[in-house]
Amino acid sequence: MVRILIIEDEIIIARFIERQLKNNFECETAIAVSAVEARTSMAAFLPHLLLCDIHLEEEHSGIDLIVDLRRRYAFEVIYITSYQNRSVIEKAAATHPANYLIKPIDESQLFTGIQLVMARIRSDDQAGKAFLQSDITFTLSLIHISEPTRQAEI
């Protein structure tokens, strides 16, 4: 199941996003209302996808948080923000987000903005499982081949 971390300092918006995710996707969700909570949640929850506000009412932006988290974790990110100016969008683009959604956001915009990313995550997850399974099978085959055959004593 896909794990999604919502990083949003406005709890009403975070709960709205969480409700839409649970209504439309098979996923586990967690909410972080600050960068500190986001860092703690990353280690415990290991999300596949982060939905991150850029303006977090803190010293650093959501973009700075994503840059920091990407040093330690692999995940997709979708920014959900009211920022539409060119410099902020360019700074966000440098982090290679899966999408950038402008607030205010409604149910259909959220669904559309997340659907393709969710499909890619599920596809990558299935490919990873298939690779892992083939790697295990290959390893077990090598172990079987390398074991000496025992001769029956007569």
Side-chain angles (χ1 to χ4, degrees):
M1 186 172 297
V2 176
R3 293 179 303 279
I4 302 173
L5 177 60
I6 303 160
I7 305 169
E8 170 62 64
D9 59 346
E10 295 182 46
I11 194 65
I12 293 171
I13 294 172
R15 293 284 182 215
F16 166 78
I17 292 169
E18 181 179 48
R19 187 176 70 244
Q20 295 308 312
L21 289 170
K22 290 187 175 193
N23 287 343
N24 292 295
F25 303 101
E26 282 190 35
C27 62
E28 295 177 45
T29 61
I31 294 174
V33 296
S34 69
V36 171
E37 282 186 23
R39 286 183 179 91
T40 301
S41 294
M42 287 300 290
F45 191 54
L46 294 174
H48 300 96
L49 173 62
L50 276 63
L51 303 179
C52 187
D53 187 10
I54 289 177
H55 182 70
L56 294 174
E57 299 292 332
E58 296 183 13
E59 183 177 316
H60 300 286
S61 72
I63 297 169
D64 296 330
L65 175 64
I66 294 302
V67 168
D68 182 51
L69 292 175
R70 283 225 164 123
R71 290 183 184 123
R72 291 184 284 283
Y73 303 100
F75 55 86
E76 295 286 344
V77 64
I78 296 174
Y79 291 109
I80 301 178
T81 185
S82 58
Y83 284 106
Q84 299 181 45
N85 68 26
R86 185 180 186 138
S87 65
V88 172
I89 293 170
E90 287 173 353
K91 187 175 177 184
T95 68
H96 308 287
N99 211 334
Y100 189 101
L101 304 175
I102 306 291
K103 292 178 188 175
I105 192 162
D106 64 27
E107 294 92 346
S108 63
Q109 291 169 318
L110 190 61
F111 176 80
T112 304
I114 294 174
Q115 175 60 30
L116 295 175
V117 179
M118 291 289 283
R120 185 173 59 228
I121 290 169
R122 285 191 295 266
S123 174
D124 290 351
D125 189 44
Q126 290 303 314
K129 286 179 183 173
F131 177 77
L132 181 60
Q133 182 61 43
S134 67
D135 193 40
I136 290 169
T137 303
F138 179 72
T139 302
L140 290 175
S141 296
L142 286 177
I143 291 169
H144 179 72
I145 291 169
S146 66
E147 287 181 348
T149 55
R150 295 183 185 189
Q151 299 292 327
E153 291 182 19
I154 302 181

